[in-house]
Amino acid sequence: MGGTSTCWVRQLFLSSIGKKSVMAVTGLVLFGFVVGHLVGNLQVFIPDDGKKLNAYAAFLKANAGVLWGARIVLLAALLAHVGIAILLALENRGARPVAYRVKTYREASYAARTMIISGPLILLYVVYHLLHFTWGTVHPSFNHDDVYHNVITGFQQPAASAVYIVAMALLGLHLFHGLWSMCQSLGVNHPKYNALLRAGSAAVASAITIGYIAIPVAVMAKLLK
Amino acid sequence: MRITLHIWRQKGPHDAGRLVTYEVPDASPEMSFLEMLDVLNERLTAKGEEPVAFDHDCREGICGTCGVVINGIPHGPRAATTTCQLHMRSFRDGDHLTCEPWRARAFPVIRDLAVDRSAFDRIVEAGGFIGVNTGSAPDGNSIPIPKKTADLSMDAAACIGCGACVAACPNASAMLFVAAKISHLGLLPQGQPERFDRAAKMVARMDGEGFGNCTNTRECEAACPKEIGVEFIARMNRDFLRAGVADRPEKATAGGA
Ligand code: FES
């Protein structure tokens, strides 16, 4: 921006496009975590009674520096993502003070129109998930050193499994719009690969939902014991 | 054909406004939507009632003055069509049509269906021009421009500034309009010198006018009578972000002789 250099950062990040790009970049960081976490979790399917999974958990704990570094980056990304989402939602509400009596949507997907609902619900779920599997506060038989045991006994409760399944469906919905939207906000839109971007967003969002849901489903179906 | 209209009536910017129902029992499928409103207004005037105020000028889809949200869709149900080019054959006998103005804080209602879109003019004033004297017409092909680039620029330049993008956006965002204006100049050689400054200034003005923020729902693209795509919004985002990150600040000291 021409003009005063002292507050260019503020000017950039408080502009409409700046806020969009912060949503996109923090969304990308959180998406990276969602992918990494899924890959780690899927080790539960290795048929060795959880040895690999527990070893992986112990490995993470042993590297406290990296673990806490990642946690701090994720927490910062989460706070920025949520904070700016609230700001955007308030501004957008203010931008149309009188609502339409009749409103017909033609392009906006259900996912796009419900980001502001799926987002807070996922946040609530994250709190529950931490209480359940990280701190063990709401877990029936939590053992700090046996992740495999925690997963199996945790998901043997149908109510807990149901929460996870619904939350992962919401995450898929959020990513279905979020992934494509992230590209668009950062200016990645080109006729050569637009179809791929849209199809790719849908495919990746579905794969993540299915991957995560597979774990409680497998436990409840007694495929994992 | 018999049409029942539920029209937004609002005496002025500070009136609360309400939907009022009118019948047009004898609309012809050949009439344009605005001609149907003309017929209604003649009858209202004859009865001594206040006619419905609505915006219109060219009535041939090129000026961007007209605009009514019909059953929740800006410019009505036909794709790539302004309200003035919409004909009653697009509806069916017995249809109920709810007619509302463009709704956005940045587009205050003047009266009934007529809104004040001068916010768009102020955005263009902020940078939607080329700030040098262009002189007389240059020789043909003296500035080489690839056909693809010229076409893309022309696609953006097709924007008539009607504001349907704002009306359609769930967030009342003006990004498609601003993106079109930034792109049609920024794509051409003559627009290069001010390209990034233009993006920064026009976006700042847009934000200042109180439009909402884009959430990439693509409703604008569906409503645009000139079929301008969100590809231009991505292009604007690139230009704006580059301006924000890489532009040199202006020197504070006055230079030159
Ligand atoms: S009146 Fe000119 S575009 Fe409709």
Side-chain angles (χ1 to χ4, degrees), chain B residues 119-127 178 199-211:
Chain B
F120 270 12
D121 301 335
R122 291 188 290 274
I123 293 172
V124 170
E125 278 168 24
V178 180
K201 284 181 176 153
M202 291 181 77
V203 169
R205 189 66 250 150
M206 166 181 82
D207 292 349
E209 293 292 343
F211 290 102

Side-chain angles (χ1 to χ4, degrees), chain B residues 56-66 82 84 160:
Chain B
H56 62 104
D57 189 12
C58 71
R59 296 208 179 193
E60 52 186 11
I62 57 170
C63 76
T65 308
C66 62
T82 55
C84 60
I160 53 176

Side-chain angles (χ1 to χ4, degrees), chain A residues 106-170:
Chain A
R106 289 194 288 185
E107 271 298 324
S109 62
Y110 182 74
R113 285 185 277 128
T114 52
M115 292 300 269
I116 202 61
I117 300 167
S118 58
L121 288 175
I122 293 167
L123 187 63
L124 277 181
Y125 155 78
V126 168
V127 173
Y128 168 74
H129 181 47
L130 289 173
L131 289 171
H132 191 214
F133 278 150
T134 304
W135 298 313
T137 329
V138 297
H139 194 283
S141 95
F142 195 73
N143 176 347
H144 272 280
D145 299 312
D146 193 350
V147 172
Y148 187 79
H149 164 84
N150 294 342
V151 171
I152 304 297
T153 51
F155 286 144
Q156 276 167 352
Q157 294 188 306
S161 284
V163 170
Y164 278 83
I165 291 170
V166 171
M168 290 305 102
L170 285 169

Side-chain angles (χ1 to χ4, degrees), chain A residues 16 92 96 104 108 181 187, chain B residues 71 103 169 207 213 216 219 238:
Chain A
S16 51
N92 291 348
R96 177 164 294 137
T104 307
S181 190
Chain B
N71 285 347
R103 293 198 190 276
C169 177
D207 292 349
N213 302 282
N216 301 325
E219 282 297 315
R238 292 200 292 274

